Every structure is written in C-alpha cells, then in structure tokens.
Amino acid sequence: MINRSIRLRFAPSPTGPLHIGGVRTALYSFLFAKKHGGDFLLRIEDTDQTRFVPGAEEYIIESLNWCGIKIDEGVSVGGKHAPYRQSERKELGIYLKYALELIATGHAYYAFDTADELDQARKEAESSGSSFSYNAQTRTKMRNSLSLPANEVELLLKEQAYVIRLKVDAGEEIVFTDLIRGVVKFNSNVVDDKVLLKSDGMPTYHLAHIVDDYLMEITHAVRGEEWLPSAPAHILIYRYLGWLDKMPEYGHLPLLLKPDGNGKLSKRDGDRLGFPVFPLQWKDPVSGEISTGYREKGYEPDAFVNMLALLGWNPGTEQEIFNMHELIELFSFDHVHKAGAKFNPEKALWFNKQYVQHLPTATLAKKLKAQIIEVLHLDSNSGILDQIYLESAIELIKPRIHFTSELYSTAPYLFTAPENYDRQIIEKRWKPALKPFFEQFLNDLEHLTNFDNTSIENCFKQTVVAMQLKPGDVLPLLRVALSGQGSGVDLFGMMALLNKDTVKKRITKFLNEINTHF
Ligand code: GLU
C-alpha cells in the first residue's frame, strides 16, 4: 500500500447524465478513501469540447450529493489544487508544459498528418487485411518530426496544425498490479503512439489525467474497464515523465451488465424493462427528452447506494443491508468481482422496500399526511389526519409498499369510503343467501365492546360458524364492502382502524347497493 495520504478522484466527462455505472465508480472510490481516512476529489474532464453537454456538470454534482458521496476537494468545493476543470487547467498551460517536456526528453514528437492522410493510411492497411496503428513501425512513413528533416519541421510548426504524439519504444515489457485484476502484463508493441495534445491545444485524456493525478497527488485511480487497453500507454507516460514512484494504483472496474444477456447496461435496457439507469431525472438539453431517475422514481438514496455497492462487491458474508458507515468500514477492492455485474431491477425494488420498512413511523406518517391533503384536499383538522390514526394506518400500509410515494394510493379506503366495488368478485361470490350473514355480523359487531383486531376477528369467526358458512364464502365480499377492492391491507386491522361506526356504515351501504344492482 502507498505510504502517503490516500486520495481518490472521480473524474467524469460532462457529456450527459451520469450512468449508474459511473455512480458506482464514484461510490467505490469514495468508500475506499473514507475507509483509509483519505480524500475524495471531483475533477471534471472536459477537454473534448465536441462532447460537452450543458448541465451535465451540475447533474453530476447533484447526483453525488443525493447519494451522500461527499466531495472533499474539487469542482463545486475548491481546494489547494484548483482549478479542477481540465479546460481551465489547459488555459494555465499545465498540459503543454509536460507535453513539451516529453518532446525534450525524446519521448514524444510532433505529427503533421492531416485527417485525409490518416484516412489514407487506414485504408491502405485495411486493403492488406490489417488495421492501421501509428507506432514504431509506421511512424517513419508518416509526416512527423521524427521522419521529416529539421528545417521542414520548423516550417510546418509555424504553418500547419499539428498534434503531439507519445513515442512508444518497441518491445518494452509493461507490468502493473491492478487493484481488482492483480498482475497485468502487456508488451509495448500493442501500444500505439497516442495523441497527447490535440491540434486545438487541448490535451487528450491520456495526458491530462496523468498530469492531473500526479499534481493532485492521487494515490488510487479507479475507472471503468474500458480504459484497461490504454493502461500500458499510461504507464509508459509515467515512466517517461519519471513519475513511476508517484503513479497511483490503477483499478479497472468491470461493467454493469443488462439484466438479460451479456451486453453493457444501457438506457435502452432501462426503457425496455422499465427501470432508470440514471440516479436523477435528466432532460436532454437538445431534444428535450426526459429520462427518469432513481430519485424521481421514489428511491431512498440510502437504498440506492446500498444496492449499487453490492453490484459487483460484497464483504464476503451473506449480509445485504449496509448503511454508508458500514460500507466504508467493510469496503475493499479485494472483494470487487472481476466479472461484470448483472443489473437486477427486482433486487433494486427489494432494497428500497427494506429501507422503507425501516423508516420511522413518524416520517412515513408525515409523508402520508401530505399525500392525503394533496389528493383529498382535506383541511388539516380532519379526523383521519389525527396523528394516532395516521401512524396506525402506516403500520397497515407499510408491509405492502416499495416506495413512500405509494402510501396513500395503496389503501385510499382507509381515508375515504369506496365509491365503486370490484364487480368481478361480487359476480363470482355474491348470493342473496349470504345477506343474512352480513346482517347478523352487523348485529354482532354492534355488541363488541373492544373494537380491536382480535375481537373483530373472533366475532367474524363466530358469526361464520353460527351461520354455517366457511370464512372463504364471505371474506372477499367483506373486504369489497369495506374497501371496494379484492385485496389490500390486513382486513381486521383495517376494520379496527376505521372504527365501528364507519365499518357498519360501509357494510350497510354495500348491502343496499347489492340489493339494487345484483
Ligand atoms: N473522464 C474519464 C471518463 O469519463 C475518466 C476516466 C478516469 O476516471 O480516469 O471515462
């Protein structure tokens, strides 16, 4: 382990909404940093101006905040290595300086090839059945400061657009230990002469992230596995700059996979199977298209974070519910799986359900109250907004919901009498011969002194026996009479909550309607 203060960065490019895979990368980096008493930084990698999307940076910051991933240093909070936006760092000449240093030490060179010339080289390679790579073999045939005479190079530098390329020496062994994959070996023959500085003066990711990780004293660079093929080039850059002793440990995270099949989890999978792939809602600034987010779907941020943490990691036990504090305590890269993690939308729902069940009753009652007021336009003195009534309703409703947004809609009949009855159940179950049962039950209820679940249930059973029926003959109808629906919250608990008077009124009304319509 590196013997310096631990610093990890999340370094997204502001090219659109943050995919949940990106949030997971940020989360793992944050957990590791916090576990080791270190810092978590946010750097915005906006060097590709063609892919810049307005609003994306704000979206990233809001997403991290929502998840409780606290930024210690970086964009939005500042810090001693500011600025943290690469476009602003470029203005300070930070990247150019190191590109020129690589040229001076013979590890980089100027290349003048136009887009057409590169295209031509690609086509020629293809026609002979291979693919073009700008490297030790091909660079001599291209137009660059290694292949052209010095005076021509001098002239071209003044007159023509150019890039700076890394000069990869052939036949070098490149070995590094990945935080997740262990020892990884490459030969430099598979590495091309990557562009370090583009013709617009902007650095590429390859140069920029290395310069920044070095200057920002990053100790561990965790990123998506799509960067693994570029890792050998990055290690060579560290080597050529003489920074190998300060090179962060790299970790390449496997992909999040679609629930069905093996490909990468995409927005299309989310649309197709009905779940979000973004933490927050995103409105595309060009098309206006809206993509939903976990927050807007009603997920608790803790549940979302818990679910995400377990997509590709577990502490080696069966435990599944962890708060952020526990995640920090238990997290290590040793237990991050090497294979891609299949996203499971049902499991995401399950996690939210677990969290909703454990929210304090008073919190849920407050949300329920707001929903009732909104839907029923009640004034706040209404009896059903009584705190004890609300909290008892919560106990009935809670086992049936995945989201707090479903509190009211799960059992509206606890707050307002049903206006319609489930016709299918009535048509299937109702017989005029059952009417005496309901009349007798009304009568028996009247004599109950304690109107609680158990007393009501006992009363029901006794009436059923006395009338020589089975509970199943009348239970569904009783539920329809009280709630209008064929299924719902615990029936006797609901009756106790509604109280004797309301229960009697609803059964009486039901019998009247049944008389007229059936
Ligand atoms: N800007 C890069 C990306 O969004 C960051 C990769 C890294 O973390 O180094 O993929």
Side-chain angles (χ1 to χ4, degrees):
M1 170 84 74
I2 289 172
N3 188 20
R4 332 179 234 156
S5 106
I6 300 297
R7 290 164 64 80
L8 284 88
R9 84 300 190 276
F10 180 48
S13 300
T15 54
L18 192 55
H19 186 274
I20 53 175
V23 185
R24 188 188 60 165
T25 305
L27 177 64
Y28 285 2
S29 299
F30 170 78
L31 294 176
F32 188 83
K34 295 295 123 186
K35 178 176 173 135
H36 297 282
D39 292 324
F40 174 76
L41 287 78
L42 175 66
R43 183 171 73 222
I44 294 291
E45 302 205 325
D46 57 348
T47 55
D48 189 348
Q49 302 283 290
T50 59
R51 296 182 64 217
F52 178 82
V53 173
E57 180 184 304
E58 293 75 6
Y59 179 95
I60 290 164
I61 294 165
E62 204 181 332
S63 300
L64 297 180
N65 283 339
W66 182 66
C67 293
I69 300 176
K70 192 175 158 290
I71 305 162
D72 297 307
E73 194 181 312
V75 170
S76 83
V77 294
K80 61 178 177 190
H81 296 288
Y84 292 91
R85 241 176 242 110
Q86 288 185 330
S87 56
E88 291 170 25
R89 297 175 68 73
K90 178 250 169 189
E91 291 306 312
L92 301 175
I94 292 176
Y95 308 112
L96 179 64
K97 174 179 169 205
Y98 293 105
L100 293 178
E101 189 178 314
L102 285 168
I103 290 194
T105 55
H107 293 298
Y109 58 92
Y110 298 105
F112 305 100
D113 318 276
T114 62
D116 283 348
E117 286 163 349
L118 289 167
D119 229 29
Q120 187 59 33
R122 251 174 242 126
K123 280 193 189 126
E124 273 168 28
E126 269 162 34
S127 66
S128 62
S130 59
S131 63
F132 177 70
S133 167
Y134 209 119
N135 59 23
Q137 278 75 51
T138 59
R139 71 170 81 103
T140 51
K141 293 177 225 111
M142 305 301 288
R143 293 201 310 127
N144 52 56
S145 55
L146 300 176
S147 63
L148 299 171
N151 55 350
E152 197 178 336
V153 170
E154 219 162 288
L155 207 68
L156 285 172
L157 282 175
K158 286 193 201 107
E159 288 177 355
Q160 218 197 295
Y162 59 84
V163 300
I164 295 181
R165 282 184 184 271
L166 180 68
K167 179 172 170 277
V168 177
D169 297 330
E172 287 197 37
E173 169 102 328
I174 304 160
V175 185
F176 75 100
T177 306
D178 187 275
L179 287 165
I180 295 149
R181 286 149 205 275
V183 176
V184 185
K185 284 191 186 138
F186 290 92
N187 187 287
S188 68
N189 291 346
V190 301
V191 183
D192 62 334
D193 287 357
K194 291 203 184 304
V195 173
L196 300 175
L197 211 74
K198 295 181 274 188
S199 55
D200 62 2
M202 278 288 187
T204 56
Y205 166 72
H206 308 296
L207 177 66
H209 93 276
I210 288 172
V211 168
D212 288 345
D213 282 352
Y214 172 75
L215 295 176
M216 295 178 186
E217 303 172 90
I218 298 302
T219 55
H220 299 77
V222 179
R223 58 188 182 184
E225 72 176 2
E226 67 274 20
W227 292 112
L228 188 61
S230 310
H234 300 158
I235 288 158
L236 286 178
I237 298 174
Y238 275 102
R239 193 184 286 175
Y240 297 155
L241 283 167
W243 295 345
L244 270 185
D245 59 332
K246 294 283 163 53
M247 185 172 90
E249 289 190 44
Y250 276 108
H252 293 91
L253 285 177
L255 292 174
L256 288 189
L257 305 174
K258 38 175 110 259
D260 49 352
N262 284 322
K264 182 178 168 193
L265 176 68
S266 72
K267 174 166 146 41
R268 230 171 309 132
D269 301 314
D271 293 345
R272 182 168 58 85
L273 300 167
F275 61 86
V277 297
F278 304 125
L280 317 178
Q281 177 174 295
W282 168 258
K283 184 172 176 196
D284 187 289
V286 178
S287 67
E289 188 199 347
I290 292 189
S291 308
T292 184
Y294 280 83
R295 181 177 66 183
E296 288 69 20
K297 276 271 177 189
Y299 276 81
E300 303 299 314
D302 302 0
F304 174 71
V305 164
N306 192 157
M307 177 273 293
L308 213 51
L310 266 79
L311 270 178
W313 168 86
N314 69 61
T317 64
E318 294 295 301
Q319 189 183 339
E320 290 188 285
I321 302 294
F322 303 96
N323 61 29
M324 191 68 103
H325 181 73
E326 294 167 313
L327 290 173
I328 290 170
E329 192 135 298
L330 293 165
F331 185 79
S332 83
F333 285 109
D334 303 343
H335 282 105
V336 173
H337 309 147
K338 292 185 187 65
K342 239 185 216 315
F343 184 76
N344 180 344
E346 286 86 39
K347 194 75 191 191
L349 278 175
W350 179 87
F351 271 109
N352 207 58
K353 187 172 172 118
Q354 304 310 307
Y355 275 78
V356 169
Q357 303 310 307
H358 289 97
L359 284 175
T361 304
T363 307
L364 291 169
K366 198 167 160 208
K367 287 182 189 282
L368 173 60
K369 185 171 176 176
Q371 290 168 17
I372 298 172
I373 291 176
E374 192 187 325
V375 182
L376 298 182
H377 310 289
L378 289 183
D379 83 77
S380 45
N381 294 323
S382 161
I384 59 165
L385 292 178
D386 168 76
Q387 190 63 16
I388 296 180
Y389 189 97
L390 289 173
E391 293 194 2
S392 313
I394 290 296
E395 294 309 326
L396 290 171
I397 296 170
K398 212 165 65 166
R400 304 189 62 81
I401 58 169
H402 286 92
F403 297 103
T404 58
S405 57
E406 298 166 343
L407 284 165
Y408 172 76
S409 60
T410 294
Y413 44 80
L414 295 180
F415 313 99
T416 168
E419 281 172 13
N420 302 301
Y421 300 109
D422 184 321
R423 286 192 73 92
Q424 270 188 339
I425 295 185
I426 296 174
E427 276 162 12
K428 192 165 156 215
R429 306 261 177 183
W430 177 255
K431 295 191 277 279
L434 292 175
K435 200 175 170 206
F437 163 81
F438 283 95
E439 286 164 349
Q440 184 57 45
F441 186 46
L442 276 176
N443 195 46
D444 294 344
L445 286 178
E446 181 58 39
H447 294 103
L448 272 189
T449 38
N450 285 336
F451 205 71
D452 56 51
N453 303 13
T454 326
S455 314
I456 301 168
E457 185 170 1
N458 289 338
C459 171
F460 171 79
K461 285 181 181 156
Q462 282 160 18
T463 317
V464 163
V465 172
M467 303 299 285
Q468 299 183 337
L469 293 167
K470 290 192 292 301
D473 299 332
V474 281
L475 260 182
L477 289 163
L478 178 58
R479 182 181 283 286
V480 170
L482 294 166
S483 72
Q485 305 178 6
S487 63
V489 304
D490 174 65
L491 183 61
F492 299 113
M494 158 168 104
M495 291 169 76
L497 180 66
L498 287 174
N499 82 27
K500 192 191 280 187
D501 209 37
T502 309
V503 166
K504 279 168 46 195
K505 270 193 207 141
R506 288 195 188 177
I507 296 178
T508 310
K509 179 172 174 245
F510 174 74
L511 292 178
N512 287 340
E513 300 226 351
I514 274 244
N515 267 345
T516 16
H517 299 297
F518 290 86

